Amino acid sequence: MSRPQPPAGRESRFSHSLDTLRELASDVLAHAGRQGASACEVDVSTGFGQSVTVRCGEVETIEYNRDKGVSVSVYLGQRKGHANTSDFSPKAVRETVEAALNIARFTAEDPCAGLADAALLATDADRQPDLDLYHPWMLSVDDAVAIARRCEQAAFAVSPEISNSEGATVSLQEGQFVAANSLGFIAGYPSSRHYLSCSLIAGTNDGMQRDDWYEVARDPLALASAEAIGERAAQRTLSRLGARKIRTCKVPVLFEAPLAASLIGNFVHAASGGALYRRTSFLIDSLGKRIFSRRLHISERPHLPRALASSPFDNDGVATRDREVVEDGRLQGYFLSAYSARKLGMHTTGNAGGCHNLIVRPGKRDLSGLLRKMGRGLLVTELLGQGVNYVTGDYSRGAAGYWVDGGVIAHPVEGITIAGNLRDMFRNIAAVGTDVVVRGSKQVGSILIEQMKVAGD
């Protein structure tokens, strides 16, 4: 899967250069000031994408997107107004600023509204490191179709029991932005995100099963080959054949790495400022308390080169930094923006817009080792539904996966529900695997929980 060198001028792939975006952002700030705004922040962006899906060897969809936008927030003291436009013309931009000001005039005062503290902003060059986030993929539609076909063909070649396909998709997305505010912050950069997936069906009639596999990366050279992704999707799908229910029981549950990331996502949601100040989280007043097993350690590393959630600053323009979020199971920090921090009487953590590369320290066992440690229980590879109550921590999800006996997979399982409470689940984490799969902002291996209720027959 080769990638030609980018054209001369890394910005020539976009409809507007970074310099143009900077000028537009500066114009917005100047116009807002002239119109009486006490403060202003603006985000100007442009991007494009291409996605091709092949199903059973035939092209099913070809999609293009080309986007641009100006997002403006203005302040009149403690009153805030927001407006946006996709029109970059001077007239449209001025009207957008004025619309935001009109909204602010009729908005109630909010004592927590306003820009982040100027001292925290990434205004210096050393707070704006190049994180190598832009890797253009010079991929024609014909080449994308060829890659998708290779992926699907490799899947069908694994076994005649692969009876159908839901498609192989090749997607590239590239964008760039400039963010600025009236305290002197202005910065931006290009970035890319590329994707290759394959989804298959095995078996026939009532015995059909589906599964998939996909990878995401900033750099297309970091993706596995089309053949490898197709073969892995096929193997996962075939392994689901013959799935059945099991009897209701309480057993250890092992969340496969891609699903373990969703557990960490549940933690992030509960520890985020919005849920905390609205008092809709079971982690209220949990700083310094042990909320996880002692063996769990979570670090935030915003400056990893080419990582999917790296950024030198957050959506408020606050410089990001390395930190330890959980140490020996104790919660060391929430995920706060400037606004949510003020609501809580705390300081921003540089997480306006979300977390940045959360890394869960792995243990010493791979997936096979975790199965042996578990002995008898359930390996979960698919979750269904949205059964998480963040106020109480109650957790109940439809699931599918594999029954494990004697430390090895015995047979596939479907039509079950797993249930527990996130407080107990976090405290009862018995091990974290080395089998890390990175598809977003959480980097974590499979997670073994000592016991959950599994509802079946």
Side-chain angles (χ1 to χ4, degrees):
M1 194 188 307
S2 61
R3 182 189 77 243
Q5 292 299 310
R10 283 162 67 92
E11 298 167 6
S12 61
R13 296 266 285 173
F14 301 103
S15 57
H16 296 76
S17 70
L18 271 176
D19 286 341
T20 299
L21 301 189
R22 288 189 188 97
E23 291 173 5
L24 187 51
S26 297
D27 290 344
V28 167
L29 296 177
H31 187 62
R34 289 193 297 269
Q35 295 299 308
S38 57
C40 177
E41 54 191 345
V42 57
D43 185 281
V44 187
S45 62
T46 182
F48 64 90
Q50 170 187 292
S51 180
V52 171
T53 298
V54 167
R55 183 173 179 271
C56 296
E58 299 297 323
V59 177
E60 185 167 70
T61 59
I62 299 173
E63 298 179 1
Y64 296 97
N65 65 279
R66 187 168 287 277
D67 309 300
K68 61 179 182 177
V70 180
S71 178
V72 182
S73 293
V74 298
Y75 298 87
L76 295 173
Q78 302 300 126
R79 292 176 293 167
K80 178 182 177 180
H82 178 82
N84 54 66
T85 181
S86 59
D87 187 345
F88 279 11
S89 70
K91 180 175 183 292
V93 171
R94 289 194 301 270
E95 289 175 348
T96 302
V97 172
E98 290 156 12
L101 282 164
N102 285 333
I103 292 170
R105 291 187 182 99
F106 292 97
T107 300
E109 289 195 359
D110 184 342
C112 297
L115 304 180
D117 188 335
L120 302 176
L121 300 175
T123 51
D124 302 326
D126 61 349
R127 288 187 168 188
Q128 298 179 20
D130 181 0
L131 302 179
D132 195 21
L133 303 181
Y134 180 49
H135 293 265
W137 198 358
M138 307 310 198
L139 193 67
S140 69
V141 170
D142 288 343
D143 288 342
V145 169
I147 291 171
R149 281 181 172 150
R150 281 168 35 213
C151 184
E152 195 179 56
Q153 287 165 2
F156 278 114
V158 171
S159 170
E161 289 188 286
I162 299 296
S163 56
N164 208 339
S165 169
E166 294 184 339
T169 298
V170 179
S171 174
L172 63 89
Q173 298 290 327
E174 300 175 23
Q176 63 180 0
F177 76 99
V178 167
N181 67 34
S182 50
L183 293 178
F185 167 75
I186 183 165
Y189 50 85
S191 65
S192 57
R193 183 179 293 255
H194 310 299
Y195 171 94
L196 177 55
S197 72
C198 188
S199 179
L200 303 164
I201 296 171
T204 57
N205 301 323
D206 293 339
M208 290 192 297
Q209 295 288 339
R210 68 157 302 282
D211 211 322
D212 58 43
W213 192 252
Y214 69 93
E215 291 195 4
V216 186
R218 297 282 191 185
D219 186 344
L221 294 180
L223 296 172
S225 69
E227 290 79 7
I229 288 176
E231 289 168 4
R232 186 158 188 181
Q235 291 161 358
R236 291 175 65 86
T237 306
L238 291 167
S239 70
R240 297 279 294 269
L241 290 174
R244 58 185 188 268
K245 284 188 176 183
I246 56 175
R247 290 185 179 277
T248 297
C249 55
K250 285 188 176 181
V251 292
V253 172
L254 177 58
F255 287 78
E256 187 188 31
L259 301 187
S262 75
L263 281 182
I264 302 304
N266 297 144
F267 156 66
V268 172
H269 179 98
S272 292
L276 293 167
Y277 76 71
R278 294 185 183 96
R279 304 193 70 79
T280 57
S281 169
F282 67 95
L283 291 181
I284 292 170
D285 298 327
S286 291
L287 277 183
K289 296 179 181 178
R290 181 166 285 115
I291 63 167
F292 284 99
S293 159
R294 290 176 181 271
R295 56 178 48 87
L296 206 79
H297 187 109
I298 304 177
S299 304
E300 186 171 32
R301 298 289 182 264
H303 301 159
L304 298 179
R306 297 176 299 282
L308 292 170
S310 290
S311 180
F313 48 85
D314 73 355
N315 288 0
D316 290 330
V318 172
T320 52
R321 58 182 178 84
D322 290 353
R323 64 179 181 134
E324 308 311 309
V325 179
V326 175
E327 288 186 297
D328 301 323
R330 292 188 182 276
L331 180 61
Q332 303 299 315
Y334 290 132
F335 299 91
L336 307 179
S337 66
Y339 180 81
S340 63
R342 291 185 188 121
K343 293 286 284 187
L344 293 166
M346 304 175 77
H347 299 289
T348 177
T349 58
N351 290 110
C355 60
H356 307 285
N357 302 320
L358 289 188
I359 300 175
V360 181
R361 182 185 295 169
K364 298 180 180 179
R365 296 177 176 87
D366 60 10
L367 182 59
S368 296
L370 291 176
L371 292 175
R372 290 192 295 271
K373 178 178 175 63
M374 178 167 64
R376 179 177 179 272
L378 181 69
L379 167 62
V380 178
T381 59
E382 183 178 10
L383 291 170
L384 306 169
Q386 304 295 324
V388 181
N389 184 327
Y390 288 102
V391 177
T392 63
D394 288 340
Y395 183 98
S396 179
R397 305 282 302 273
Y402 304 88
W403 182 251
V404 177
D405 201 357
V408 296
I409 290 174
H411 60 80
V413 174
E414 66 179 0
I416 59 172
T417 300
I418 58 173
N421 186 280
L422 287 171
R423 292 179 185 273
D424 300 326
M425 292 163 64
F426 290 166
R427 284 195 295 261
N428 292 329
I429 290 176
V432 179
T434 59
D435 56 330
V436 178
V437 174
V438 182
R439 290 175 172 174
S441 60
K442 292 91 178 172
Q443 301 186 20
V444 58
S446 297
I447 289 179
L448 175 61
I449 294 176
E450 291 176 359
Q451 190 175 82
M452 292 184 68
K453 182 175 182 180
V454 180
D457 286 334

